[in-house]
Every structure is written in structure tokens, then in C-alpha cells.
Amino acid sequence: MDFTDQVAIVIGGSGAIGSAVVTMLAERGARVVAGYHQNAAAAAQVVAACQDMRGDVSVRQVDARDPQSVETLVSAVIEAYGRLDAIVFCAGAMRFAPVEAISVAQWRDMLALHLDGARNVCRAALRRMMRRRYGRIVAVAALHGLAGGPQQADFSAATGGVLGLVRTLAREAAPWNITVNAVAPGFIETPQLNTIPEEMRLWGEQVIALRRIGRPEEVAAAIVFLSSPLASYITGQTLVVDGGWRMAP
């Protein structure tokens, strides 16, 4: 996959999966802007790791929950590079609590980060991509959005909403040659995995067909493919990256 001269934004670019996406895009010649929320040090490490690659990487602070923050970022990228070919939304967090213990504030916070964030990112990118009649939008959700997750009602509902948003926008954007897809990871070696109860992790490793936890790079590979010109006839889809945990017919 060649991304020479292409411009990409990765929201959540300082995280485990996001930084892997940034690296893969830069390796393939893309000019990448990694959006981070609070972890400036991690974002700087991403830039340093990509210094000798074919593409170039810069970072900008952004709050995906804030429509104006996302608009400002996308406008700055268009002003700097004159185009936007691909945008990836992979900001997220998860917590564990039974549904009766989830407060209204916690529920709304989870929806704001995942569902509002995906909406803000997609909306800001779509208008710019329509002008060029080309674009790739990829939202990272989770397997929970398809299958649910015990003690994760808020996270499951939020990521399930992202999948519905992706399917709707795929239909709306198709006339402009813009594809909109989702990637749903299963158990992946990220800091968030450390919040999972040990018994749940052990259970997961037993039911996963490949009998192991996935790596961020394995999720990033799927995201980068869907962000590329090669994925020109794929839209409105959810690509599950779970090592064979959930096998849908």
C-alpha cells in the first residue's frame, strides 16, 4: 500500500492502536497528523519514532468530544496540506461496572467520548472530502458493539452506536466516492486491557481461536488497509479483528 502524497489524520494517535496506525501510514509515505487529547509526551514519542520514515508526522491537541476542537484541527490540516485523504477515529476508554451502578454522568461521558466523538470527526471530514470527491473514514469501535460486554453496558452501547453511524454515513457519502468503515478489535495488548479482570482475560484467551491476545499492529493493519485506495469497494462494513473469538456466519 502506497500513501505517497496522501494526507491522513489519526484522532487518538498517541494511544497504542493509534500510534501503530500513525507509524504504518508514515512508513508508506503519508503525511500524518496525530491528534492527541492529553498525553503530549506520548504524542512526542510517536513523532520521534517516525523521523526517518518516508512520510512525515506532526501532532496537534484535539478533544474529539468538542465539535469546534475537531473543526479547528481539520481546518488546520487542510490549510497546511491542501487536502485530506483519510481520517481515523480511535480515541476511547472503557470501565467495568454493572448497569445499575453506572451513573447518568458516567453514561453520558462514555457516549460523548465514543459516539459524539465519532460523529464530530466524521462530520468535519465529510464536507472537505466531498469537495474532492474522495475520502476514507475509519472508526475504531469494539467487539462489544456487536456482541455486548458484561459490566460494560455504557461502552457496548456507545461502540454499538458508532457502528450504526458508520453504516448510515457510508450510504450518505457513497455518491462522493467516500468510504466509511469500522474496525472492531477484540482483546488487544493495550493499557486498557490491564483494566480487565484477570479471570475475564484468561477466559478470553481460552475461547479465542488463535489462543492469544492480539497486538496493536494487527489492528492497525486492518485500519490502514481500509484507509487506502485498495479498499475502494468496501464501505459500511465492520471488520472484526479478534483472532477468531466471535465468528459470525
Side-chain angles (χ1 to χ4, degrees):
M1 290 178 285
D2 186 8
F3 285 85
T4 301
D5 296 328
Q6 290 204 19
V7 176
I9 297 174
V10 180
I11 306 292
S14 63
I17 293 174
S19 62
V21 174
V22 171
T23 300
M24 286 189 178
L25 289 171
E27 285 174 336
R28 289 157 178 79
R31 291 170 286 181
V32 190
V33 177
Y36 72 95
H37 183 208
Q38 294 178 320
N39 199 339
Q45 289 176 354
V46 175
V47 174
C50 297
Q51 281 185 342
D52 297 326
M53 294 180 181
R54 286 175 52 208
D56 63 80
V57 177
S58 60
V59 298
R60 287 187 66 99
Q61 195 278 334
V62 63
D63 184 349
R65 300 168 297 183
D66 179 1
Q68 188 54 54
S69 179
V70 178
E71 284 283 344
T72 299
L73 170 61
V74 174
S75 294
V77 171
I78 296 293
E79 183 176 351
Y81 297 112
R83 60 191 289 175
L84 175 61
D85 298 281
I87 192 163
V88 176
F89 173 72
C90 60
M94 63 181 180
R95 294 183 294 263
F96 287 85
V99 66
E100 67 271 15
I102 299 173
S103 68
V104 172
Q106 290 172 329
W107 180 270
R108 289 178 176 169
D109 182 60
M110 190 66 72
L111 290 179
L113 177 57
H114 293 90
L115 191 51
D116 292 359
R119 176 263 184 195
N120 295 336
V121 169
C122 291
R123 187 172 184 272
L126 273 172
R127 295 197 306 275
R128 278 77 172 194
M129 290 176 171
M130 284 177 175
R131 294 169 190 159
R132 293 184 58 234
R133 302 188 68 85
Y134 177 85
R136 300 283 184 265
I137 298 175
V138 182
V140 178
L143 194 61
H144 305 67
L146 289 166
Q151 300 189 60
Q152 293 176 287
D154 50 355
F155 183 63
S156 300
T159 53
V162 171
L163 301 182
L165 174 67
V166 162
R167 289 190 290 269
T168 298
L169 294 182
R171 294 186 182 277
E172 292 185 6
W176 287 271
N177 194 35
I178 299 167
T179 64
V180 188
N181 291 288
V183 171
F187 277 171
I188 306 298
E189 281 290 358
T190 68
Q192 289 188 5
L193 189 66
N194 296 328
T195 67
I196 294 176
E198 182 63 20
E199 62 272 17
M200 184 176 292
R201 175 175 178 141
L202 293 175
W203 171 81
E205 291 175 345
Q206 291 172 356
V207 300
I208 293 170
L210 293 179
R211 296 292 193 273
R212 66 175 176 84
I213 303 298
R215 301 186 301 274
E217 294 78 11
E218 292 174 309
V219 182
I223 297 168
V224 170
F225 167 67
L226 290 174
S227 302
S228 76
L230 292 177
S232 57
Y233 201 56
I234 303 173
T235 196
Q237 302 302 309
T238 299
L239 179 52
V240 175
V241 184
D242 68 350
W245 180 5
R246 178 186 180 273
M247 298 189 188

